[in-house]
């Protein structure tokens, strides 16, 4: 597998996944022993047909799902995410944030309150239940909203925003967590092509300016070429390609997406 | 021979229907005395069982000949829906099965409830009723202050019962929601609470009032306790159904920030269910006011107890006053609750 064109320092591994297996209670083996490294500061994109296990993989990384076996070493091997329990899981989730295809905001809350939810792990339970977030948290939240260009919508209800705007709120929320890594599960799959690029640009900005590592599931290869620094392709729960986006030629394309598949461009 | 869900339901339906029809026909034909039935109960039970077996056999046999019975019509699996023909009701077997069952049920029903047109048209009876109506529409306003005081007791009884039930039901509702109680231990708690609440709800508030009037003595407190117990069970069920129907998205979203269990419930679930909660609660209060009146009949205090007192003495003018007060209050509560629930939509 080719690895040319990768600019990130490969010595700095932030996540090291070894032999990750996930079998769902209904018997579906969604991941069949996946091993790879995530490097600090990279924009790693995971591609593959739907059902290939991309979402499952991301959800194992922040323990929204429990892996069946294997290890996920985090923080230079100090911690195995696959093994942590209870409060440890919540600490992992705080450090490895996530954004979703359907944004997963709380629809009835204001934009600002949604962003403040990113501070829950930092706020004592009784304070958070009373809605007492610190002044510093509020200021930061507004800053993060400005970063994604929607500070002026802070007091609108989240469900009054368009899809693209909601996804930007979700980015602001994940930034409030002050995460080391952001997982993005098809963040633009339910957006129209124009908005799609806006959101991807903000993710790129977060990656380049704030130096936050990003692991992102994507559907369209054209987007992958534009934004990824490195690519992993999954097929039926196994990694079949790992390398630079530029090296995915027609042959690889056919192997990843199946013979007869045609590349679609988002412009 | 597999007994799947469809087959079981069809067989049960057809055999019950057959046993019922034959039994009713038998009783209508023989017209046995009540004592006779009581004495021969064992015989009738055996007969019933035998008839059910025959009914099941007939149902199977008919299916073999592709004759659609009522049980088949109602419970057939999707794969056999095509057997239902588009024929006119009178050209189908199930049509006649339905008509005969209906006629026999109505007939025996009238016999059992002793429905009697002559009784209804009896001159002396009618005169009595007219006298009562006159009295009802000629209320004795002297007791109005007393009635108002009592109806206020009833309203507060319903209010306190609802108010105390809200926090209990609110907290317990999360323990009765399948989507939260996934863990094996949690699931046991879930099942236990569900069963308990189903049990409590299956006992009418009226019965609870009788139990509590023995326990804490006749009066508003007994009525309040009865309503509260019933409200907790009902609200917890309705609340938990709301919790079960919330979107997974916000839950995952909040969880992904590293929020704790309580924070997830508070920030991802509560905002999604709060409006329906309020709506259910207002409706429950409204229902409780009506129930509180009835509960007064058996010693729950308030306007109901007052009503039953005057009714016992055949003081119809006073009863008239009380009925009017109750009607006005129930109507007002109904309107208010409808307006509030409408505003919450
Ligand atoms: N909660 C679940 N329970 C059972 N099977 C699941 C669940 N989630 C996903 N799967 C199965 O796991 C496989 C991988 O799914 P997923 O990770 O969602 O793939 P992708 O995100 O690449 O479309 C699929 O076969 C899917 O049907
Ligand atoms: Mg997916």
């Amino acid at each position: 597998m080719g690895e040319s064109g990768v600019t990130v320092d490969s010595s700095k591994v932030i996540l090291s996944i070894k032999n990750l297996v996930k079998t769902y209670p209904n018997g579906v083996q969604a991941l069949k022993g996946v091993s790879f490294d995530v490097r600090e500061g990279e924009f790693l994109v995971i591609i593959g047909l739907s059902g290939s296990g991309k979402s499952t993989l991301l959800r194992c990384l922040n323990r929204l799902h429990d892996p069946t076996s294997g290890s996920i070493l985090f923080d230079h091997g100090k911690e195995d995410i696959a093994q942590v329990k209870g409060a440890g899981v919540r600490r992992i989730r705080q450090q490895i944030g996530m954004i979703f295809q359907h944004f997963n905001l709380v629809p009835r809350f204001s934009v600002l309150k949604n962003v403040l939810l990113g501070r829950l792990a930092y706020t004592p339970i009784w304070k958070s239940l009373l809605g007492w977030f610190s002044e510093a948290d509020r200021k930061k939240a507004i800053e993060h909203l400005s970063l994604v260009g929607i500070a002026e919508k802070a007091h609108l209800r989240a469900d009054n925003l368009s899809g693209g705007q909601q996804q930007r709120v979700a980015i602001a929320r994940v930034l409030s967590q002050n995460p080391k890594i952001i997982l993005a599960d098809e963040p633009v799959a339910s957006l129209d092509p124009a908005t799609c690029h806006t959101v991807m640009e903000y993710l790129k900005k977060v990656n380049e300016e704030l130096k936050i590592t990003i692991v992102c599931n994507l559907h369209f290869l054209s987007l992958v070429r534009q934004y990824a620094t490195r690519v992993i392709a999954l097929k039926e729960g196994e990694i079949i390609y790992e390398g630079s986006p530029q090296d995915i030629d027609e042959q690889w394309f056919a192997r990843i997406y199946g013979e007869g598949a045609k590349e679609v461009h988002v412009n | 021979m597999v007994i799947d869900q469809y087959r079981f339901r069809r067989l049960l339906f057809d055999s019950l229907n057959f046993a019922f029809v034959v039994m009713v026909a038998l009783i209508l034909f023989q017209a046995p005395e009540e004592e006779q039935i009581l004495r021969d109960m064992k015989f009738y039970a055996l007969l019933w069982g035998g008839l059910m077996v025959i009914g099941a056999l007939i149902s199977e046999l008919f299916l073999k000949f592709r004759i659609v019975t009522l049980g088949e019509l109602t419970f057939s699996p999707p794969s056999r829906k095509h057997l239902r023909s588009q024929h006119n009701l009178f050209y189908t077997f199930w049509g006649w099965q339905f008509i005969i069952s209906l006629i026999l049920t109505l007939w025996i029903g009238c016999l059992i409830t002793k429905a009697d047109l002559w009784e209804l048209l009896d001159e002396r009876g009618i005169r009595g009723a007219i006298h009562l109506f006159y009295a009802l529409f000629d209320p004795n306003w002297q007791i109005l202050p007393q009635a108002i005081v009592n109806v206020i007791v009833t309203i507060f009884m319903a209010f306190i019962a609802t108010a105390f039930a809200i926090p209990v039901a609110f907290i317990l509702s999360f323990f009765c929601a399948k989507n939260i109680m996934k863990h094996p231990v949690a699931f046991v708690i879930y099942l236990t609470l569900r069963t308990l609440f189903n049990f409590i709800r299956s006992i009418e508030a009226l019965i609870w009032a009788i139990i509590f009037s023995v326990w804490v003595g006749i009066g508003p407190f007994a009525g309040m306790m009865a309503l509260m117990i019933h409200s907790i069970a009902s609200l917890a069920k309705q609340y938990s159904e709301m919790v079960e129907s919330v979107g997974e998205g916000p839950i995952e979203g909040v969880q992904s920030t590293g929020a704790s269990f309580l924070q997830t419930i508070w920030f991802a679930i509560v905002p999604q269910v709060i409006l329906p909660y309020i709506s259910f609660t207002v409706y429950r209060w409204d229902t409780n006011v009506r129930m509180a009146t009835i509960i007064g009949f058996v010693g729950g205090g308030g306007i109901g107890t007052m009503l039953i007192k005057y009714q016992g003495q055949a003081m119809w003018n006073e009863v008239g006053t009380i009925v009017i007060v109750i009607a006005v209050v129930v109507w007002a509560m109904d309107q208010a609750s409808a307006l509030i629930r409408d505003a919450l939509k």
Side-chain angles (χ1 to χ4, degrees):
Chain A
M1 290 176 200
E3 286 227 4
S4 61
V6 179
T7 52
V8 181
D9 181 357
S10 63
S11 66
K12 286 193 174 164
V13 171
I14 188 163
L15 272 182
S16 179
I17 292 103
K18 296 220 169 66
N19 272 319
L20 191 66
V21 174
K22 171 67 186 178
T23 310
Y24 282 109
N26 64 0
V28 174
Q29 195 174 28
L31 297 175
K32 303 170 179 164
V34 169
S35 304
F36 64 98
D37 287 344
V38 179
R39 297 159 192 171
E40 216 167 312
E42 74 175 332
F43 197 123
L44 177 64
V45 168
I46 299 169
I47 56 173
L49 283 174
S50 92
S52 59
K54 304 182 298 294
S55 299
T56 307
L57 175 58
L58 287 201
R59 280 172 164 72
C60 284
L61 297 187
N62 70 347
R63 286 294 294 279
L64 277 181
H65 287 343
D66 295 332
T68 308
S69 67
S71 63
I72 305 164
L73 298 182
F74 179 49
D75 213 6
H76 314 293
K78 272 186 234 147
E79 196 150 35
D80 184 355
I81 293 177
Q83 302 295 333
V84 295
K85 291 191 177 64
V89 173
R90 299 202 289 275
R91 207 181 50 247
I92 291 300
R93 287 183 191 154
Q94 174 258 301
Q95 294 177 82
I96 305 181
M98 189 163 195
I99 61 177
F100 303 82
Q101 177 180 350
H102 298 292
F103 331 125
N104 292 1
L105 303 179
V106 181
R108 309 194 64 90
F109 282 177
S110 71
V111 164
L112 180 63
K113 191 153 186 195
N114 265 292
V115 178
L116 283 170
L117 293 183
R119 300 303 296 172
L120 285 179
Y122 296 88
T123 316
I125 289 190
W126 66 272
K127 266 194 181 176
S128 69
L129 295 192
L130 292 172
W132 289 354
F133 293 95
S134 74
E135 211 37 57
D137 284 352
R138 285 171 196 276
K139 246 183 81 191
K140 260 282 188 249
I142 296 283
E143 265 171 46
H144 289 135
L145 279 173
S146 315
L147 192 102
V148 291
I150 42 173
E152 79 280 0
K153 303 237 189 279
H155 297 287
L156 290 185
R157 248 173 71 152
D159 53 358
N160 285 343
L161 268 53
S162 71
Q165 291 169 331
Q166 290 196 37
Q167 194 61 293
R168 280 145 71 189
V169 176
I171 295 176
R173 175 175 76 187
V174 83
L175 289 178
S176 313
Q177 285 175 237
N178 197 14
K180 295 204 171 97
I181 305 173
I182 293 176
L183 310 172
D185 191 5
E186 310 217 13
V188 294
S190 44
L191 303 179
D192 58 72
T195 333
C196 173
H197 275 287
T198 323
V199 168
M200 286 311 291
E201 283 300 333
Y202 280 118
L203 277 181
K204 189 175 170 188
K205 185 166 153 190
V206 165
N207 175 244
E208 287 175 354
E209 291 176 17
L210 305 177
K211 309 271 184 260
I212 299 175
T213 311
I214 290 182
V215 183
C216 179
N217 290 346
L218 279 181
H219 225 75
F220 292 110
L221 210 53
S222 58
L223 286 177
V224 179
R225 293 217 177 87
Q226 205 167 340
Y227 296 100
T229 57
R230 211 160 60 92
V231 176
I232 282 176
L234 279 180
K235 188 171 191 177
E236 289 162 15
E238 286 172 301
I239 292 183
I240 58 164
Y241 177 88
E242 183 171 359
S244 133
Q246 279 68 38
D247 294 342
I248 305 179
D249 52 21
E250 264 170 40
Q251 269 172 344
W252 271 114
F253 185 80
R255 279 180 64 181
I256 297 168
Y257 290 102
E259 302 292 339
K262 250 197 149 131
E263 199 178 332
V264 186
H265 287 272
V266 178
N267 30 40
Chain B
M1 173 163 142
V2 257
I3 300 270
D4 56 20
Q5 167 197 329
Y6 299 115
R7 182 181 227 129
F8 177 75
R9 289 178 187 176
R10 168 173 57 82
L11 284 178
L12 190 67
F13 183 95
D14 279 338
S15 54
L16 278 173
N17 183 257
F18 180 76
F20 177 77
V21 165
V22 175
M23 195 72 119
V24 168
L26 196 76
I27 287 176
L28 285 175
F29 183 70
Q30 274 200 333
E33 295 294 320
E34 194 171 322
E35 292 96 70
Q36 207 176 334
I37 296 182
L38 289 176
R39 194 167 20 130
D40 296 340
M41 196 50 109
K42 244 187 211 150
F43 163 75
Y44 284 108
L46 275 177
L47 183 63
W48 182 272
L51 287 173
M52 279 190 65
V53 173
I54 299 175
L57 289 177
I58 293 179
S59 173
E60 279 299 304
L61 198 69
F62 274 34
L63 185 62
K64 204 150 260 151
F65 290 108
R66 312 200 131 220
I67 299 173
V68 179
T69 61
L70 209 49
E72 169 71 11
L73 180 83
T74 319
F75 298 113
S76 62
S79 62
R80 272 213 307 274
K81 293 280 189 227
H82 65 275
L83 273 186
R84 302 170 168 191
S85 60
Q86 301 298 319
H87 281 309
N88 183 303
L89 185 76
F90 298 104
Y91 290 98
T92 56
F93 176 77
W94 61 263
W96 282 104
Q97 192 184 353
F98 177 71
I99 292 169
I100 291 174
S101 306
L102 187 69
I103 290 175
L104 285 176
T105 314
L106 288 176
W107 189 347
I108 193 101
C110 287
L111 282 185
I112 289 177
T113 54
K114 303 198 167 69
D116 187 344
L117 204 57
W118 296 122
E119 191 97 46
L120 209 54
L121 294 177
D122 177 66
E123 201 180 329
R124 258 188 47 221
I126 289 182
R127 235 183 290 126
I130 288 177
H131 172 71
L132 192 147
F133 268 113
Y134 271 125
L136 285 182
F137 287 110
D138 178 22
N140 174 3
W141 295 117
Q142 298 261 261
I143 65 154
L144 184 63
Q146 183 75 45
I148 290 177
V149 168
N150 273 305
V151 89
I152 291 176
V153 170
T154 297
I155 293 175
F156 269 95
M157 209 161 93
F159 175 74
I160 292 293
T162 317
F164 284 176
I166 293 170
V168 182
F170 178 80
I171 291 170
L172 288 179
S173 69
F174 296 103
F175 295 96
C176 300
K178 215 188 288 175
N179 56 339
I180 297 183
M181 306 300 274
K182 278 180 189 152
H183 194 272
V185 183
F187 194 69
V188 173
I189 299 175
Y190 158 83
L191 277 183
T192 319
L193 279 175
R194 272 266 150 134
T195 317
L196 178 71
F197 286 155
N198 279 337
F199 172 75
I200 292 178
R201 274 184 314 114
S202 69
I203 300 178
E204 283 290 330
L206 199 64
I207 313 279
W208 282 112
I210 295 175
I211 296 172
F212 279 108
S213 64
V214 172
W215 189 341
V216 303
I218 286 180
F221 185 50
M224 196 276 277
M225 286 302 294
L227 284 178
M228 190 179 75
I229 283 265
H230 207 260
S231 299
I232 289 176
S234 302
L235 283 178
K237 176 167 187 281
Q238 287 178 312
Y239 286 176
S240 65
E241 273 165 8
M242 279 320 303
V243 173
E244 279 172 1
S245 72
V246 299
E248 270 295 313
I251 299 181
E252 266 198 333
V254 171
Q255 269 179 342
S256 76
T257 67
S260 67
F261 179 70
L262 264 184
Q263 286 173 327
T264 308
I265 287 186
W266 187 250
F267 287 102
I269 298 179
V270 172
Q272 296 190 69
V273 296
I274 196 72
L275 281 189
Y277 269 33
I278 297 176
S279 181
F280 287 142
T281 312
V282 171
Y283 185 64
R284 178 57 37 193
W285 183 25
D286 176 19
T287 315
N288 277 349
V289 170
R290 264 173 290 155
M291 277 204 207
T293 313
I294 310 283
I295 276 174
F297 294 176
V298 297
I303 192 84
T305 304
M306 186 177 172
L307 176 76
I308 215 79
K309 200 177 85 198
Y310 285 108
Q311 185 259 339
Q313 299 168 33
M315 296 168 72
W316 302 116
N317 305 78
E318 287 70 16
V319 169
T321 320
I322 298 172
V323 167
I324 289 173
V325 169
I326 293 176
V328 167
V329 166
V330 166
W331 175 82
M333 291 295 299
D334 199 54
Q335 291 296 312
S337 129
L339 284 178
I340 293 176
R341 280 180 290 129
D342 214 43
L344 287 175
K345 266 194 203 126

